[in-house]
Amino acid sequence: MGIVLLAAAAQAAEIRYPTVAYLDELKLEPVDLTVEKRTPISLSRDSRSAMAYLHVGQKVRLVGWTPEMFYVDARVATGPMRGWVSAAAVAGSTQDVVAELQRRQEAKAKNRQLIAQHEVGVGMTRDEVLESIGKPERRQRLQTAQADREVWVYVTYRYQPFYLQTMDADGKLQQTVTYRRVPAGHRAVVFGGELVVAVEENVEEKAAPLVVP
């Protein structure tokens, strides 16, 4: 009973490692694999913390990847379990998936830099766009000859100088300047499926500074 409760608690508080490529975070479907040799399944990447053993021929689903360890969904004697197994203990059609995971991991690292700068780039997911620049002012769908597209439209802003001229106690003219954020145009973020396929900027011409006597 203790092992069952421990496994359930661990599943509820799943630990996600930043160096692991998780298929759901990268918008990829789980991959079916087959256990080739009896192997322990652990709640952490430390194989010494094994909770159960998987038998030869058993089917598991890949949900997280590193070159040495796979994070999988499996069924053990106590029920369904998600845990770590040795990559050498399972087999399946992973070559194409691994290549795609590596590509998306590299893209994810690049996107983290864009998010830190509140920018958007091709290849970002919806969640990454929301994290970087927030919710759009409006969304619309476009039908093209190639595919359907979803467009998120954002208002872009610039800071316009605002000058105020006043007289001091000695009758001398003084001028102070402040900056106001004003709409400058719009940005269209175009999605093809789950990923950004284009970012279009349309910034209007700058207006002359305002001078208030």
Side-chain angles (χ1 to χ4, degrees), residues 118-130 132-142 149-156 186-202:
H118 301 291
E119 294 293 340
V120 179
V122 171
M124 294 181 76
T125 66
R126 284 175 168 78
D127 289 341
E128 287 172 334
V129 173
L130 289 172
S132 183
I133 59 175
K135 295 181 179 180
E137 273 68 34
R138 68 179 185 274
R139 307 183 190 197
Q140 60 190 50
R141 290 195 174 275
L142 297 177
R149 295 286 187 253
E150 183 176 348
V151 182
W152 290 7
V153 180
Y154 293 82
V155 175
T156 57
H186 72 271
R187 170 187 293 163
V189 181
V190 184
F191 289 91
E194 290 295 327
L195 302 178
V196 175
V197 295
V199 179
E200 299 175 0
E201 303 282 354
N202 183 15

Side-chain angles (χ1 to χ4, degrees), residues 98-194:
V98 167
E100 181 66 10
L101 283 169
Q102 291 174 325
R103 186 190 71 78
R104 294 205 185 186
Q105 275 291 80
E106 293 171 359
K108 186 177 180 181
K110 181 190 72 174
N111 293 343
R112 296 310 304 175
Q113 296 178 348
L114 291 174
I115 291 171
Q117 299 167 359
H118 301 291
E119 294 293 340
V120 179
V122 171
M124 294 181 76
T125 66
R126 284 175 168 78
D127 289 341
E128 287 172 334
V129 173
L130 289 172
E131 184 179 354
S132 183
I133 59 175
K135 295 181 179 180
E137 273 68 34
R138 68 179 185 274
R139 307 183 190 197
Q140 60 190 50
R141 290 195 174 275
L142 297 177
Q143 289 186 340
T144 68
Q146 292 77 25
D148 291 343
R149 295 286 187 253
E150 183 176 348
V151 182
W152 290 7
V153 180
Y154 293 82
V155 175
T156 57
Y157 296 90
R158 59 182 172 80
Y159 286 90
Q160 177 174 304
F162 182 86
Y163 297 98
L164 179 64
Q165 296 176 342
T166 59
M167 294 289 185
D168 64 12
D170 297 325
K172 294 181 180 180
L173 184 66
Q174 290 185 328
Q175 181 172 274
T176 57
V177 59
T178 59
Y179 291 86
R180 295 180 179 177
R181 196 177 77 149
V182 297
H186 72 271
R187 170 187 293 163
V189 181
V190 184
F191 289 91
E194 290 295 327

